[in-house]
Amino acid sequence: MANDHDDFYVGYLPTPSAHRRFSKVALVAVLLCAGIAGAGIAWLMDDPGRGVWATETSELTGTLRLSPVAFLQTAAGPVLLVEPGKFGARDLEPIGDGSPVTVRGTTLERDGHRMIELTSGDDAVTRVGTAPTSITETEAARRVVIEGEIIDTKCYLGAMKPGEGRTHAACARLCIRGGIPAGVVGTADGRQIWAIIDPGEDGVISETMLNAVGKPVHIEGELTSRAGLAILRDARLHAGD
Amino acid sequence: MSVEFRLVQWNTHKKVYDLAVTALVLVSIGSIVGVGLAAFPPPGEVSPPILLMRALGATAVIMLHVILAIGPLARLTTLAAPLLYNRRHLGVAFFLIALLHALVATGFYGGFGHGVWLVNVVTGGYRTGGEVPFELLGFLALLIFFAMAATSHDFWLSFLGPRVWKWLHMLVYAGYALVVGHVMLGAAAERATPVWPALLGVGITGLTTLHLAAGLRSLREHQAAEGESNWADAGEAASIPDDRARIVRLPSGDSVAVFRQGDRLTAMSNVCAHQGGPIGEGKIVDGCATCPWHGYQYRPEDGCSPPPYTEKLPTYSVRVRGSRVEISTTPNELGTPSAAGILDGDDHGE
């Protein structure tokens, strides 16, 4: 004789066979859907770029530049200087713009653009000479409209991958507020552009531009360079961005 | 059912259920991390914390859809009852996954800089003006899910009362809307491929369809009782299956379950004292009307749970007029025996 619960599920009684079969089929279906959806989400992620953050500390020698942001002028091109965490290089003014220095830290590099995260010790930047050198390389400024995105250079160069986009915007704003140089990546007149946004005397880009970090924008300014570092001066967003 | 509160009353069903939940979490996270590592090898790899953050977030969204699908599915087929029975375990697991997603995201994106890491991300990284940060939507959703997870235990159901508890847990739909906004304004807004809008579209469509189907079925099953004075017609008596019930909505709006045990007809509130489950979709088991959601039982004659349990449901007097069953339009006093209707020998049906 059948029990009076043989077609009715009660959690503290044996599970009827029909319910057990249904649960198994439902579980397999849910696992399949979750696996396929998860694989699809992962497969269709955007390319995070080819930024590389070295794990070993290295030393670079060059000329210290402090304007418009801190960077090292080297024979192989400019190297941006930042500190650990979401902070730009600080307290370098006493060493002086144009001083020959050796810097220690870990390098970040993406598409030929370089940065070094200074070690936290006092020997992160060591003066190796006394004679400041003046800048010999300056490109004539030209007016451009760049279609692209405002980024924080540290994450973009490899500290985070991806170090751009909407979900990363909060992090990028913290980095920029902490003194990490803001940059713009995109295209202008059909050419790829990578440039540091001149933060001006405030040291940080405007609130309007900070709010536009991580979003597609049109940004206009004077594109120039200092010691090989591309710089966008007098930058402003186009209306609507 | 229990006469005392314990953290978890483990039984085989719960253990199997939790294994299934664990499998869902592992498959979802594993597929995202595994495919993510394979599709993006170094030097073009996604940072491990970001990959984990995405895997946890996507897994939480998948789990939320499963949670929201179980309710209407159980209304459409009683075979889904085992999925519903321990759904709170799935709910708590979902909250923990969502919390981990939030911790990794806020820690990674909001940490290592100025200020408080949690505030940094919830406010969009000191954003001033502009649109509502998508992070805030996720944070608000997490608060709702925390309130639900924290009060999922029966102690809180008893402490808050079924009405407040149910209202609180219906906020899951507000949480779902916030999650959709969080994803659409965040992850979906930056992808070159519309994978997130597509998947969310499938999820929203599926959930809407299930809820509409369950709602339509409930409307069909609930007969509008017509009657005069203090009695309401509840339909053909013999067409109620043996040991089962017909759900009738009284003119007052009360939902009543009319059970038949052989020739005996009784009526009680259709709303379980535990979580408001539909008693009328249950069955007479061991002589008691048994709720299909969590097995809470009530004696048909007086609406009381068998000792030592103390739950009570209002009963309604029943009488048989010809082939029709009629129920009183006002409930009897809680815990008092009620009049049953008796079918004539020739009127039994199946």
Side-chain angles (χ1 to χ4, degrees):
Chain A
M1 178 182 170
N3 293 321
D4 55 6
H5 58 80
D6 59 1
D7 63 343
F8 182 67
Y9 176 81
V10 184
Y12 44 81
L13 297 175
T15 305
S17 56
H19 292 72
R20 196 157 42 234
R21 277 196 303 276
F22 182 89
S23 297
K24 285 178 182 173
V25 171
L27 175 62
V28 170
V30 167
L31 293 182
L32 271 176
C33 288
I36 292 170
I41 288 167
W43 186 261
L44 295 172
M45 288 191 294
D46 288 344
D47 184 353
R50 296 292 186 273
V52 175
W53 193 354
T55 54
E56 294 183 359
T57 301
S58 58
E59 287 189 354
L60 291 173
T61 299
T63 304
L64 180 65
R65 298 297 177 191
L66 299 176
S67 175
V69 296
F71 69 99
L72 188 71
Q73 178 185 355
T74 73
V79 181
L80 293 166
L81 302 177
V82 296
E83 291 187 6
K86 296 177 182 177
F87 298 101
R90 294 166 288 191
D91 304 326
L92 296 178
E93 285 78 7
I95 299 176
D97 187 285
S99 299
V101 294
T102 294
V103 300
R104 296 184 73 246
T106 51
T107 58
L108 299 95
E109 183 169 357
R110 177 175 177 176
D111 303 330
H113 308 296
R114 291 191 298 164
M115 170 181 280
I116 191 162
E117 182 191 88
L118 302 171
T119 56
S120 52
D122 294 335
D123 59 346
V125 180
T126 309
R127 191 167 180 152
V128 293
T130 55
T133 58
S134 59
I135 290 180
T136 57
E137 178 189 353
T138 302
E139 188 178 302
R142 62 189 176 94
R143 193 112 199 126
V144 293
V145 177
I146 302 169
E147 183 178 357
E149 180 180 330
I150 300 170
I151 46 97
D152 80 275
T153 49
K154 186 173 184 180
C155 288
Y156 181 81
L157 291 180
M160 288 193 190
K161 297 166 74 173
E164 57 207 277
R166 185 84 164 216
T167 53
H168 177 263
C171 173
R173 279 190 284 272
L174 284 182
C175 288
I176 294 169
R177 283 188 185 282
I180 288 172
V184 56
V185 289
T187 57
D189 303 325
R191 292 171 56 190
Q192 291 290 322
I193 301 287
W194 148 273
I196 301 303
I197 300 174
D198 185 352
E201 292 182 357
D202 294 340
V204 179
I205 60 174
S206 69
E207 285 292 323
T208 307
M209 267 194 266
L210 269 174
N211 286 337
V213 166
K215 295 193 289 192
V217 292
H218 292 82
I219 184 168
E220 183 175 356
E222 297 285 334
L223 187 63
T224 182
S225 75
R226 184 170 194 253
L229 183 68
I231 300 162
L232 190 68
R233 298 191 193 281
D234 301 322
R236 62 180 179 82
L237 292 172
H238 273 198
D241 286 332
Chain B
M1 298 180 71
S2 175
V3 292
E4 61 180 358
F5 296 114
R6 295 181 194 161
L7 188 60
V8 180
Q9 296 188 86
W10 292 108
N11 60 26
T12 304
H13 295 244
K14 285 185 168 67
K15 289 173 183 171
V16 170
Y17 197 94
D18 288 355
L19 279 176
V21 172
T22 305
L24 171 59
V25 171
L26 291 179
V27 165
S28 180
I29 291 178
S31 65
I32 295 170
V33 171
V35 173
L37 290 174
F40 297 93
E45 81 282 10
V46 175
S47 295
I50 293 179
L51 188 57
L52 179 62
M53 179 195 313
R54 291 175 174 178
L56 290 166
T59 299
V61 172
I62 290 170
M63 293 173 81
L64 182 57
H65 279 86
V66 175
I67 289 167
L68 290 174
I70 287 175
L73 190 62
R75 300 302 294 270
L76 291 170
T77 171
T78 57
L79 292 175
L83 309 181
L84 181 74
Y85 199 84
N86 294 306
R87 186 173 52 171
R88 68 180 73 183
H89 287 221
L90 181 56
V92 172
F94 152 71
F95 167 71
L96 292 176
I97 295 295
L99 178 64
L100 279 176
H101 164 75
L103 288 175
V104 174
T106 53
F108 202 50
Y109 285 155
F112 310 108
H114 284 302
V116 180
W117 55 273
L118 179 63
V119 176
N120 285 345
V121 169
V122 169
T123 58
Y126 297 124
R127 191 202 317 248
T128 55
E131 72 271 29
V132 174
F134 74 93
E135 296 93 339
L136 182 62
L137 302 182
F139 179 71
L140 293 175
L142 195 65
L143 287 182
I144 289 176
F145 298 137
F146 168 72
M148 293 177 60
T151 60
S152 64
H153 196 274
D154 273 353
F155 167 79
W156 288 103
L157 177 59
S158 172
F159 182 80
L160 296 172
R163 187 183 295 270
V164 174
W165 190 90
K166 190 75 178 175
W167 177 86
L168 178 66
H169 284 247
M170 289 299 281
L171 285 178
V172 68
Y173 292 100
Y176 179 69
L178 288 168
V179 166
V180 170
H182 175 68
V183 174
M184 290 304 294
L185 295 176
E190 70 176 12
R191 296 285 181 277
T193 52
V195 59
W196 268 112
L199 287 175
L200 274 182
V202 170
I204 293 170
T205 304
L207 288 178
T208 304
T209 305
L210 273 175
H211 280 77
L212 284 176
L216 286 174
R217 179 173 171 141
S218 294
L219 283 177
R220 279 202 305 270
E221 289 183 347
H222 285 60
Q223 296 191 357
E226 300 170 358
E228 25 77 35
S229 66
N230 295 324
W231 293 90
D233 179 66
E236 284 289 333
S239 61
I240 300 173
D242 195 21
D243 286 338
R244 294 284 188 172
R246 171 181 299 143
I247 297 168
V248 176
R249 188 167 294 282
L250 294 173
S252 63
D254 291 344
S255 185
V256 178
V258 183
F259 279 94
R260 182 168 80 81
Q261 293 171 272
D263 61 354
R264 188 177 174 83
L265 290 151
T266 52
M268 67 176 68
S269 169
N270 185 44
V271 184
C272 181
H274 177 222
Q275 285 188 12
I279 299 287
E281 293 178 19
K283 189 182 181 184
I284 301 291
V285 176
D286 297 331
C288 288
T290 306
C291 180
W293 282 11
H294 300 96
Y296 273 60
Q297 292 190 304
Y298 306 91
R299 291 190 301 240
E301 57 271 22
D302 59 8
C304 296
S305 293
Y309 308 110
T310 56
E311 287 79 10
K312 292 185 178 71
L313 285 185
T315 57
Y316 294 79
S317 297
V318 178
R319 69 184 185 186
V320 177
R321 286 288 182 270
S323 62
R324 312 288 292 183
V325 60
E326 294 183 347
I327 55 177
S328 60
T329 54
T330 52
N332 300 311
E333 194 172 333
L334 269 181
T336 57
S338 67
I342 305 297
L343 275 175
D344 290 339
D346 295 339
D347 292 335
H348 291 206
E350 294 297 333

